[in-house]
Amino acid sequence: MSITTKAKEKIFEKFGADAKDSGSAYSQIALFTTKINLLTKHLKNNKKDYGTQRSLQLMVGKRRKLLDYLKNKNIIKYREIVKELGLRR
């Protein structure tokens, strides 16, 4: 259910400056989106897993805050990442 190190490096390489760029808002949003998708699949099979449901809600909130920050900072990059990740915004 967790993301492997190789998968994280691919995400950071695609959305960040390099494979070790884990701190930029772009790479964090992409990582949260990947985790959210995994947790959503898990919750479809395990409807009563309330701990995971809470974690999912917290993660969506963190991604929302990062997206708002990016929207205020650089609207062009914001639109690019929303389109690339397929987020409904």
Side-chain angles (χ1 to χ4, degrees):
M1 191 163 92
S2 64
I3 301 174
T4 62
T5 306
K6 298 269 186 197
K8 284 182 185 179
E9 286 179 2
K10 286 181 184 179
I11 291 170
F12 295 148
E13 189 174 321
K14 184 175 180 182
F15 291 99
D18 60 0
K20 302 293 182 188
D21 181 24
S22 62
S24 69
Y26 315 112
S27 57
Q28 287 293 312
I29 291 168
L31 184 64
F32 280 136
T33 301
T34 306
K35 287 182 179 180
I36 287 168
N37 291 337
L38 286 174
L39 289 178
T40 303
K41 288 179 188 175
H42 172 77
L43 282 173
K44 285 184 180 177
N45 295 331
N46 305 292
K47 296 185 187 309
K48 294 188 177 183
D49 189 355
Y50 299 116
T52 303
Q53 186 176 2
R54 175 165 164 72
S55 299
L56 176 65
Q57 290 172 341
L58 291 173
M59 209 171 295
V60 169
K62 287 180 183 180
R63 183 180 70 177
R64 166 85 267 128
K65 288 177 186 175
L66 281 170
L67 283 168
D68 288 342
Y69 165 78
L70 189 58
K71 186 177 181 181
N72 292 331
K73 190 85 169 166
N74 189 347
I75 190 74
I76 296 168
K77 282 286 199 178
Y78 167 80
R79 289 179 182 154
E80 287 176 8
I81 199 162
V82 166
K83 186 175 182 181
E84 193 166 344
L85 293 174
L87 301 176
R88 295 181 306 169
R89 290 297 321 225

Coordinates of all heavy atoms in Angstrom, one line a residue:
M1 N 0.8 -1.2 0.0 CA 0.0 0.0 0.0 C 0.9 1.3 0.0 O 0.4 2.3 -0.4 CB -0.9 0.0 1.2 CG -2.0 1.1 1.1 SD -3.3 0.8 2.2 CE -2.8 1.7 3.6
S2 N 2.1 1.1 0.4 CA 3.0 2.3 0.4 C 3.7 2.4 -0.9 O 3.7 1.5 -1.7 CB 4.0 2.2 1.6 OG 4.8 1.1 1.4
I3 N 4.3 3.6 -1.1 CA 5.0 3.9 -2.3 C 6.5 3.5 -2.1 O 7.1 3.9 -1.1 CB 4.8 5.4 -2.7 CG1 3.4 5.7 -2.9 CG2 5.6 5.7 -4.0 CD1 3.1 7.2 -3.1
T4 N 7.0 2.8 -3.1 CA 8.4 2.4 -3.0 C 9.3 3.6 -3.3 O 8.9 4.7 -3.8 CB 8.8 1.4 -4.0 OG1 8.6 1.9 -5.4 CG2 7.9 0.1 -3.9
T5 N 10.6 3.5 -2.9 CA 11.6 4.6 -3.0 C 11.8 4.9 -4.5 O 11.9 6.1 -4.9 CB 12.9 4.2 -2.4 OG1 12.6 3.8 -1.0 CG2 13.9 5.3 -2.4
K6 N 11.8 3.9 -5.3 CA 12.0 4.1 -6.8 C 10.8 4.9 -7.4 O 11.0 5.7 -8.2 CB 12.1 2.7 -7.5 CG 13.2 1.9 -7.1 CD 14.4 2.1 -7.9 CE 15.5 1.1 -7.5 NZ 16.8 1.5 -8.0
A7 N 9.6 4.6 -6.9 CA 8.5 5.3 -7.4 C 8.5 6.7 -7.0 O 8.2 7.6 -7.8 CB 7.2 4.6 -7.0
K8 N 8.9 7.0 -5.8 CA 9.1 8.4 -5.3 C 10.1 9.1 -6.1 O 9.9 10.3 -6.5 CB 9.5 8.4 -3.8 CG 8.3 8.1 -2.9 CD 8.8 8.2 -1.4 CE 7.8 7.7 -0.5 NZ 8.2 7.8 0.9
E9 N 11.2 8.5 -6.4 CA 12.3 9.1 -7.2 C 11.8 9.5 -8.6 O 12.1 10.5 -9.1 CB 13.5 8.3 -7.2 CG 14.3 8.2 -6.0 CD 15.5 7.3 -6.0 OE1 15.8 6.8 -7.1 OE2 16.2 7.2 -5.0
K10 N 11.0 8.6 -9.2 CA 10.4 8.9 -10.5 C 9.5 10.1 -10.4 O 9.5 10.9 -11.3 CB 9.7 7.7 -11.0 CG 10.6 6.6 -11.5 CD 9.7 5.4 -12.0 CE 10.7 4.2 -12.4 NZ 9.9 3.1 -12.9
I11 N 8.7 10.2 -9.4 CA 7.8 11.3 -9.2 C 8.6 12.6 -9.0 O 8.3 13.6 -9.7 CB 6.8 11.1 -8.0 CG1 5.8 9.9 -8.3 CG2 6.1 12.4 -7.7 CD1 5.0 9.5 -7.1
F12 N 9.6 12.5 -8.2 CA 10.4 13.7 -7.9 C 11.2 14.1 -9.2 O 11.4 15.3 -9.5 CB 11.3 13.5 -6.8 CG 10.7 13.3 -5.5 CD1 11.2 12.5 -4.5 CD2 9.4 13.9 -5.2 CE1 10.6 12.3 -3.3 CE2 8.8 13.7 -4.0 CZ 9.4 12.9 -3.0
E13 N 11.6 13.2 -10.0 CA 12.4 13.5 -11.2 C 11.4 14.1 -12.2 O 11.8 15.0 -12.9 CB 12.9 12.2 -11.7 CG 13.9 12.4 -12.9 CD 14.5 11.1 -13.3 OE1 14.9 10.3 -12.4 OE2 14.7 10.9 -14.5
K14 N 10.2 13.7 -12.3 CA 9.3 14.2 -13.3 C 8.8 15.6 -12.9 O 8.7 16.5 -13.7 CB 8.1 13.2 -13.4 CG 7.1 13.6 -14.5 CD 6.0 12.6 -14.7 CE 5.0 13.0 -15.7 NZ 4.0 12.1 -15.9
F15 N 8.4 15.8 -11.6 CA 7.8 17.0 -11.2 C 8.8 18.0 -10.5 O 8.5 19.2 -10.4 CB 6.6 16.8 -10.3 CG 5.5 16.1 -11.0 CD1 5.3 14.8 -10.9 CD2 4.6 16.9 -11.8 CE1 4.2 14.2 -11.6 CE2 3.6 16.3 -12.5 CZ 3.4 14.9 -12.4
G16 N 9.9 17.5 -10.0 CA 10.9 18.4 -9.3 C 12.0 18.7 -10.2 O 12.0 18.4 -11.4
A17 N 13.1 19.3 -9.6 CA 14.2 19.6 -10.4 C 15.1 18.4 -10.7 O 15.6 18.3 -11.8 CB 15.1 20.6 -9.6
D18 N 15.2 17.5 -9.8 CA 15.9 16.2 -10.0 C 15.3 15.1 -9.1 O 14.3 15.3 -8.5 CB 17.4 16.4 -9.8 CG 17.7 16.8 -8.4 OD1 16.8 16.9 -7.6 OD2 18.9 16.9 -8.0
A19 N 15.9 13.9 -9.1 CA 15.3 12.8 -8.4 C 15.4 13.0 -6.8 O 14.7 12.4 -6.1 CB 16.1 11.5 -8.7
K20 N 16.2 13.9 -6.4 CA 16.3 14.2 -4.9 C 15.5 15.4 -4.5 O 15.6 15.8 -3.3 CB 17.8 14.4 -4.6 CG 18.7 13.3 -4.9 CD 18.4 12.1 -4.1 CE 19.3 10.9 -4.4 NZ 18.9 9.7 -3.8
D21 N 14.8 16.1 -5.4 CA 14.1 17.3 -5.1 C 12.7 16.9 -4.5 O 11.7 16.8 -5.2 CB 13.9 18.1 -6.3 CG 13.1 19.4 -6.0 OD1 13.1 19.9 -4.9 OD2 12.5 20.0 -7.0
S22 N 12.7 16.6 -3.2 CA 11.5 16.2 -2.5 C 10.7 17.4 -1.8 O 9.7 17.2 -1.3 CB 11.7 15.1 -1.5 OG 12.6 15.6 -0.5
G23 N 11.3 18.6 -1.8 CA 10.7 19.7 -1.1 C 9.9 20.7 -1.8 O 9.2 21.4 -1.2
S24 N 10.0 20.6 -3.2 CA 9.3 21.6 -3.9 C 7.8 21.3 -3.9 O 7.3 20.2 -3.7 CB 9.7 21.7 -5.4 OG 9.4 20.5 -6.0
A25 N 7.0 22.4 -4.0 CA 5.5 22.2 -4.0 C 5.0 21.3 -5.1 O 4.1 20.5 -4.9 CB 4.9 23.6 -4.1
Y26 N 5.6 21.4 -6.3 CA 5.2 20.6 -7.4 C 5.4 19.1 -7.1 O 4.5 18.3 -7.3 CB 6.0 20.9 -8.6 CG 6.2 22.4 -8.9 CD1 7.4 23.0 -8.8 CD2 5.1 23.2 -9.2 CE1 7.6 24.3 -9.0 CE2 5.2 24.5 -9.4 CZ 6.5 25.1 -9.3 OH 6.6 26.5 -9.5
S27 N 6.6 18.7 -6.6 CA 6.8 17.3 -6.3 C 5.9 16.8 -5.1 O 5.5 15.7 -5.1 CB 8.3 17.1 -6.0 OG 8.7 17.9 -4.9
Q28 N 5.7 17.7 -4.1 CA 4.9 17.3 -3.0 C 3.4 17.1 -3.4 O 2.8 16.1 -3.0 CB 4.9 18.4 -1.9 CG 6.2 18.4 -1.1 CD 6.4 17.2 -0.3 OE1 5.5 16.8 0.4 NE2 7.6 16.6 -0.4
I29 N 2.9 17.9 -4.3 CA 1.5 17.8 -4.8 C 1.4 16.5 -5.6 O 0.5 15.7 -5.4 CB 1.1 19.0 -5.7 CG1 1.0 20.2 -4.8 CG2 -0.2 18.7 -6.4 CD1 0.9 21.5 -5.6
A30 N 2.4 16.2 -6.4 CA 2.4 14.9 -7.2 C 2.5 13.7 -6.2 O 1.8 12.7 -6.5 CB 3.5 14.9 -8.2
L31 N 3.3 13.8 -5.2 CA 3.4 12.7 -4.3 C 2.1 12.5 -3.5 O 1.6 11.3 -3.3 CB 4.6 12.9 -3.3 CG 4.8 11.8 -2.3 CD1 5.3 10.5 -3.0 CD2 5.9 12.2 -1.3
F32 N 1.5 13.5 -3.0 CA 0.2 13.4 -2.3 C -0.9 12.9 -3.2 O -1.7 12.1 -2.8 CB -0.2 14.8 -1.8 CG 0.4 15.2 -0.5 CD1 0.9 16.5 -0.3 CD2 0.6 14.3 0.5 CE1 1.5 16.9 0.9 CE2 1.2 14.7 1.7 CZ 1.6 16.0 1.9
T33 N -0.9 13.2 -4.5 CA -1.9 12.7 -5.4 C -1.7 11.2 -5.6 O -2.7 10.5 -5.6 CB -1.7 13.5 -6.8 OG1 -1.9 14.9 -6.6 CG2 -2.8 13.0 -7.8
T34 N -0.5 10.8 -5.7 CA -0.2 9.3 -5.8 C -0.7 8.6 -4.6 O -1.4 7.5 -4.7 CB 1.3 9.1 -6.1 OG1 1.7 9.8 -7.2 CG2 1.5 7.6 -6.3
K35 N -0.4 9.1 -3.4 CA -0.8 8.5 -2.2 C -2.3 8.5 -2.0 O -2.9 7.5 -1.6 CB -0.2 9.2 -1.0 CG 1.3 8.9 -0.8 CD 1.8 9.6 0.4 CE 3.3 9.4 0.7 NZ 3.8 10.1 1.9
I36 N -2.9 9.6 -2.4 CA -4.4 9.7 -2.4 C -5.1 8.7 -3.3 O -6.0 8.0 -2.9 CB -4.9 11.1 -2.7 CG1 -4.5 12.1 -1.6 CG2 -6.3 11.2 -3.0 CD1 -4.6 13.5 -1.9
N37 N -4.5 8.5 -4.4 CA -5.1 7.4 -5.3 C -4.9 6.0 -4.8 O -5.9 5.2 -4.9 CB -4.4 7.5 -6.7 CG -4.7 8.8 -7.5 OD1 -5.8 9.4 -7.2 ND2 -3.9 9.2 -8.4
L38 N -3.8 5.7 -4.1 CA -3.6 4.4 -3.5 C -4.6 4.2 -2.4 O -5.2 3.2 -2.2 CB -2.2 4.3 -3.0 CG -1.1 4.0 -4.1 CD1 0.3 4.1 -3.4 CD2 -1.4 2.7 -4.8
L39 N -4.8 5.2 -1.5 CA -5.7 5.1 -0.4 C -7.1 5.0 -0.8 O -7.9 4.3 -0.2 CB -5.5 6.3 0.6 CG -4.2 6.3 1.4 CD1 -4.2 7.6 2.2 CD2 -4.1 5.1 2.2
T40 N -7.5 5.7 -1.9 CA -8.8 5.6 -2.4 C -9.2 4.2 -2.9 O -10.2 3.7 -2.6 CB -9.0 6.6 -3.6 OG1 -8.7 7.9 -3.1 CG2 -10.4 6.6 -4.1
K41 N -8.2 3.6 -3.6 CA -8.4 2.2 -4.0 C -8.6 1.3 -2.8 O -9.4 0.4 -2.8 CB -7.2 1.7 -4.9 CG -7.1 2.3 -6.2 CD -5.9 1.9 -7.0 CE -5.8 2.6 -8.3 NZ -4.5 2.2 -9.0
H42 N -7.7 1.5 -1.8 CA -7.8 0.7 -0.6 C -9.2 0.8 0.1 O -9.8 -0.1 0.6 CB -6.7 1.1 0.4 CG -6.8 0.5 1.7 ND1 -6.5 -0.8 2.0 CD2 -7.2 1.0 2.9 CE1 -6.7 -1.1 3.3 NE2 -7.1 0.0 3.9
L43 N -9.7 2.1 0.2 CA -11.0 2.3 0.9 C -12.2 1.8 0.1 O -13.2 1.5 0.7 CB -11.1 3.8 1.1 CG -10.3 4.3 2.3 CD1 -10.4 5.8 2.4 CD2 -10.8 3.7 3.6
K44 N -12.0 1.6 -1.2 CA -13.1 1.0 -2.0 C -13.3 -0.5 -1.6 O -14.5 -1.0 -1.6 CB -12.8 1.1 -3.5 CG -13.0 2.5 -4.0 CD -12.9 2.6 -5.5 CE -13.1 4.0 -6.0 NZ -12.9 4.1 -7.4
N45 N -12.2 -1.2 -1.2 CA -12.3 -2.5 -0.8 C -12.6 -2.7 0.7 O -13.2 -3.6 1.2 CB -11.1 -3.3 -1.1 CG -10.9 -3.4 -2.6 OD1 -11.8 -3.4 -3.4 ND2 -9.6 -3.5 -3.0
N46 N -12.1 -1.7 1.5 CA -12.2 -1.7 3.0 C -13.0 -0.5 3.5 O -12.4 0.4 3.9 CB -10.8 -1.8 3.6 CG -10.0 -2.9 3.1 OD1 -10.3 -4.0 3.3 ND2 -9.0 -2.6 2.3
K47 N -14.3 -0.6 3.4 CA -15.2 0.6 3.6 C -15.1 1.0 5.1 O -15.4 2.2 5.4 CB -16.6 0.3 3.2 CG -16.7 0.1 1.7 CD -18.1 -0.1 1.3 CE -18.3 -0.4 -0.2 NZ -17.6 0.4 -1.1
K48 N -14.8 0.1 6.0 CA -14.9 0.4 7.5 C -13.5 0.8 8.1 O -13.4 0.8 9.3 CB -15.5 -0.7 8.2 CG -17.0 -0.9 7.9 CD -17.7 -1.9 8.8 CE -19.1 -2.0 8.4 NZ -19.8 -2.9 9.3
D49 N -12.5 1.0 7.2 CA -11.2 1.4 7.7 C -11.2 2.9 8.0 O -10.8 3.7 7.1 CB -10.2 1.0 6.7 CG -8.8 1.1 7.2 OD1 -8.6 1.6 8.3 OD2 -7.8 0.7 6.5
Y50 N -11.6 3.2 9.2 CA -11.8 4.6 9.5 C -10.5 5.4 9.7 O -10.4 6.6 9.5 CB -12.7 4.8 10.7 CG -14.1 4.2 10.4 CD1 -14.6 3.1 11.1 CD2 -14.9 4.8 9.4 CE1 -15.8 2.6 10.9 CE2 -16.2 4.2 9.1 CZ -16.6 3.1 9.9 OH -17.8 2.6 9.6
G51 N -9.5 4.7 10.1 CA -8.1 5.3 10.3 C -7.6 5.7 9.0 O -7.0 6.8 8.8
T52 N -7.7 4.9 8.0 CA -7.2 5.2 6.6 C -8.1 6.3 6.1 O -7.6 7.2 5.4 CB -7.3 4.0 5.7 OG1 -6.5 3.0 6.3 CG2 -6.7 4.3 4.3
Q53 N -9.4 6.3 6.4 CA -10.3 7.4 5.9 C -9.9 8.7 6.4 O -9.8 9.7 5.7 CB -11.7 7.0 6.3 CG -12.7 8.0 5.7 CD -14.1 7.5 6.1 OE1 -14.3 6.6 6.8 NE2 -15.1 8.3 5.6
R54 N -9.5 8.8 7.7 CA -9.0 10.0 8.3 C -7.7 10.5 7.7 O -7.5 11.6 7.4 CB -8.9 9.9 9.8 CG -8.3 11.1 10.5 CD -8.5 11.1 12.0 NE -7.7 12.0 12.7 CZ -7.8 13.3 12.6 NH1 -8.8 13.9 11.9 NH2 -7.0 14.1 13.3
S55 N -6.8 9.5 7.5 CA -5.5 9.9 6.9 C -5.7 10.4 5.5 O -5.0 11.4 5.1 CB -4.6 8.6 6.8 OG -4.4 8.1 8.0
L56 N -6.7 9.8 4.7 CA -7.0 10.3 3.4 C -7.5 11.8 3.4 O -7.1 12.6 2.6 CB -8.0 9.4 2.7 CG -8.5 9.8 1.3 CD1 -7.3 9.8 0.3 CD2 -9.6 8.9 0.9
Q57 N -8.4 12.0 4.4 CA -8.9 13.4 4.5 C -7.8 14.4 4.8 O -7.8 15.5 4.3 CB -10.0 13.4 5.5 CG -11.3 12.7 5.1 CD -12.3 12.6 6.2 OE1 -12.0 12.7 7.4 NE2 -13.5 12.3 5.8
L58 N -6.9 14.0 5.7 CA -5.8 14.9 6.1 C -4.9 15.2 4.9 O -4.4 16.3 4.7 CB -5.0 14.4 7.3 CG -5.8 14.3 8.6 CD1 -4.9 13.5 9.6 CD2 -6.1 15.7 9.1
M59 N -4.7 14.1 4.1 CA -3.8 14.3 3.0 C -4.4 15.1 1.9 O -3.7 15.9 1.3 CB -3.5 12.9 2.4 CG -2.1 12.8 1.8 SD -1.7 11.1 1.4 CE -1.6 10.3 3.0
V60 N -5.7 15.0 1.7 CA -6.4 15.9 0.7 C -6.3 17.3 1.2 O -6.1 18.2 0.3 CB -7.8 15.4 0.5 CG1 -8.7 16.4 -0.2 CG2 -7.9 14.0 -0.2
G61 N -6.4 17.6 2.5 CA -6.3 18.9 3.0 C -4.9 19.5 2.8 O -4.8 20.7 2.4
K62 N -3.9 18.7 3.0 CA -2.5 19.2 2.8 C -2.3 19.5 1.3 O -1.7 20.5 1.0 CB -1.5 18.1 3.2 CG -1.4 18.0 4.7 CD -0.4 16.9 5.1 CE -0.3 16.7 6.6 NZ 0.7 15.7 6.9
R63 N -2.8 18.6 0.4 CA -2.6 18.9 -1.0 C -3.4 20.1 -1.4 O -2.9 20.9 -2.2 CB -3.1 17.7 -1.8 CG -2.9 17.9 -3.3 CD -3.4 16.7 -4.1 NE -4.9 16.6 -4.1 CZ -5.6 15.7 -4.8 NH1 -5.0 14.8 -5.5 NH2 -6.9 15.7 -4.7
R64 N -4.6 20.3 -0.8 CA -5.4 21.5 -1.1 C -4.6 22.8 -0.7 O -4.6 23.8 -1.5 CB -6.7 21.4 -0.3 CG -7.5 22.7 -0.2 CD -8.4 22.8 -1.3 NE -7.8 23.7 -2.3 CZ -7.6 23.4 -3.6 NH1 -8.1 22.3 -4.1 NH2 -7.0 24.2 -4.4
K65 N -3.9 22.8 0.5 CA -3.2 23.9 0.9 C -2.0 24.2 0.0 O -1.7 25.4 -0.3 CB -2.7 23.7 2.3 CG -3.8 23.8 3.4 CD -3.2 23.5 4.8 CE -4.3 23.4 5.8 NZ -3.9 23.1 7.1
L66 N -1.3 23.1 -0.4 CA -0.2 23.3 -1.4 C -0.6 23.8 -2.7 O 0.0 24.7 -3.3 CB 0.6 22.0 -1.6 CG 1.5 21.6 -0.5 CD1 2.0 20.2 -0.7 CD2 2.7 22.5 -0.4
L67 N -1.8 23.4 -3.2 CA -2.3 23.9 -4.5 C -2.7 25.3 -4.3 O -2.5 26.1 -5.3 CB -3.5 23.0 -4.9 CG -3.2 21.7 -5.5 CD1 -4.5 20.8 -5.6 CD2 -2.6 21.9 -6.9
D68 N -3.3 25.7 -3.2 CA -3.6 27.1 -3.0 C -2.4 28.0 -3.0 O -2.3 29.1 -3.5 CB -4.4 27.3 -1.7 CG -5.8 26.8 -1.8 OD1 -6.3 26.6 -2.9 OD2 -6.5 26.6 -0.7
Y69 N -1.3 27.5 -2.3 CA -0.1 28.2 -2.3 C 0.5 28.4 -3.7 O 0.9 29.5 -4.1 CB 0.9 27.5 -1.4 CG 2.4 27.9 -1.6 CD1 2.8 29.1 -1.0 CD2 3.3 27.2 -2.3 CE1 4.1 29.5 -1.1 CE2 4.6 27.6 -2.5 CZ 5.0 28.8 -1.9 OH 6.3 29.2 -2.1
L70 N 0.5 27.3 -4.4 CA 1.0 27.4 -5.8 C 0.2 28.3 -6.7 O 0.7 29.0 -7.5 CB 1.1 26.0 -6.4 CG 1.8 25.8 -7.7 CD1 3.2 26.2 -7.6 CD2 1.7 24.3 -8.1
K71 N -1.1 28.3 -6.5 CA -2.0 29.2 -7.2 C -1.7 30.6 -7.0 O -1.7 31.4 -7.9 CB -3.5 28.9 -6.9 CG -4.5 29.6 -7.7 CD -5.9 29.2 -7.3 CE -7.0 29.8 -8.1 NZ -8.3 29.4 -7.6
N72 N -1.4 31.0 -5.8 CA -1.1 32.4 -5.4 C 0.4 32.7 -5.9 O 0.6 33.9 -6.2 CB -1.2 32.6 -3.9 CG -2.6 32.6 -3.5 OD1 -3.5 32.9 -4.2 ND2 -2.8 32.2 -2.2
K73 N 1.2 31.8 -5.9 CA 2.6 32.0 -6.3 C 2.9 32.1 -7.8 O 3.5 33.0 -8.3 CB 3.5 30.9 -5.6 CG 4.9 31.1 -5.7 CD 5.4 31.9 -4.5 CE 6.9 31.9 -4.4 NZ 7.4 32.9 -3.6
N74 N 2.3 31.1 -8.5 CA 2.6 30.9 -9.9 C 1.4 30.3 -10.6 O 1.3 29.0 -10.6 CB 3.9 30.1 -10.2 CG 4.3 30.2 -11.6 OD1 3.6 30.6 -12.5 ND2 5.5 29.7 -11.8
I75 N 0.5 31.0 -11.2 CA -0.8 30.5 -11.7 C -0.5 29.6 -12.9 O -1.3 28.7 -13.1 CB -1.8 31.7 -12.0 CG1 -3.2 31.1 -12.3 CG2 -1.2 32.5 -13.1 CD1 -3.9 30.6 -11.2
I76 N 0.5 29.9 -13.7 CA 0.8 29.1 -14.9 C 1.2 27.7 -14.5 O 0.7 26.7 -15.1 CB 1.8 29.8 -15.8 CG1 1.3 31.2 -16.3 CG2 2.2 28.9 -16.9 CD1 2.3 32.1 -16.9
K77 N 2.1 27.6 -13.6 CA 2.6 26.3 -13.1 C 1.4 25.5 -12.4 O 1.3 24.3 -12.5 CB 3.7 26.4 -12.1 CG 5.0 26.7 -12.8 CD 5.5 25.4 -13.4 CE 7.0 25.5 -13.6 NZ 7.5 24.3 -14.2
Y78 N 0.6 26.3 -11.7 CA -0.6 25.7 -11.1 C -1.5 25.0 -12.1 O -1.9 23.9 -11.9 CB -1.3 26.8 -10.3 CG -2.7 26.4 -9.8 CD1 -2.9 25.6 -8.7 CD2 -3.9 26.8 -10.5 CE1 -4.2 25.2 -8.3 CE2 -5.1 26.4 -10.1 CZ -5.3 25.6 -9.0 OH -6.5 25.2 -8.6
R79 N -1.8 25.7 -13.2 CA -2.6 25.2 -14.2 C -2.0 24.0 -14.9 O -2.7 23.0 -15.2 CB -3.0 26.3 -15.2 CG -3.9 27.3 -14.7 CD -4.2 28.4 -15.7 NE -5.1 29.4 -15.1 CZ -5.1 30.6 -15.5 NH1 -4.4 31.1 -16.5 NH2 -5.9 31.5 -14.9
E80 N -0.7 24.0 -15.1 CA 0.0 22.9 -15.7 C -0.1 21.6 -14.8 O -0.4 20.6 -15.3 CB 1.5 23.2 -15.9 CG 1.8 24.2 -17.0 CD 3.2 24.6 -17.1 OE1 4.1 24.0 -16.4 OE2 3.5 25.5 -17.9
I81 N 0.2 21.8 -13.5 CA 0.2 20.6 -12.7 C -1.2 20.1 -12.5 O -1.4 18.8 -12.4 CB 0.9 20.9 -11.3 CG1 1.3 19.6 -10.7 CG2 0.0 21.7 -10.4 CD1 2.3 19.7 -9.6
V82 N -2.2 20.9 -12.4 CA -3.6 20.4 -12.3 C -4.0 19.6 -13.5 O -4.6 18.6 -13.5 CB -4.6 21.6 -12.0 CG1 -6.0 21.2 -12.2 CG2 -4.4 22.2 -10.6
K83 N -3.6 20.2 -14.7 CA -3.9 19.5 -16.0 C -3.2 18.2 -16.1 O -3.7 17.1 -16.5 CB -3.6 20.4 -17.1 CG -4.0 19.8 -18.5 CD -3.7 20.8 -19.6 CE -4.2 20.3 -20.9 NZ -3.9 21.2 -22.0
E84 N -1.9 18.2 -15.7 CA -1.1 17.0 -15.8 C -1.5 15.9 -14.9 O -1.5 14.7 -15.2 CB 0.4 17.3 -15.6 CG 1.3 16.2 -16.0 CD 2.8 16.7 -16.1 OE1 3.0 17.9 -16.2 OE2 3.6 15.8 -16.1
L85 N -1.9 16.2 -13.7 CA -2.3 15.2 -12.7 C -3.8 14.8 -12.8 O -4.2 13.9 -12.2 CB -2.0 15.7 -11.3 CG -0.6 15.9 -10.9 CD1 -0.5 16.5 -9.5 CD2 0.1 14.5 -10.9
G86 N -4.5 15.6 -13.6 CA -5.9 15.3 -13.9 C -6.8 15.6 -12.7 O -7.7 14.9 -12.4
L87 N -6.5 16.7 -12.0 CA -7.3 17.1 -10.8 C -8.5 17.9 -11.2 O -8.4 18.6 -12.2 CB -6.4 17.9 -9.8 CG -5.2 17.2 -9.3 CD1 -4.4 18.2 -8.4 CD2 -5.5 16.0 -8.5
R88 N -9.6 17.8 -10.5 CA -10.8 18.5 -10.8 C -10.7 19.9 -10.1 O -10.9 20.0 -8.9 CB -12.0 17.8 -10.3 CG -12.2 16.5 -11.0 CD -13.5 15.8 -10.6 NE -13.4 15.7 -9.1 CZ -14.5 15.3 -8.4 NH1 -15.6 15.1 -8.9 NH2 -14.4 15.3 -7.0
R89 N -10.4 20.9 -10.8 CA -10.2 22.2 -10.2 C -10.9 23.2 -11.1 O -10.7 23.3 -12.3 CB -8.8 22.6 -10.0 CG -8.1 21.8 -8.9 CD -8.7 22.0 -7.6 NE -9.0 23.4 -7.4 CZ -8.8 24.2 -6.4 NH1 -8.3 23.7 -5.4 NH2 -9.2 25.4 -6.3

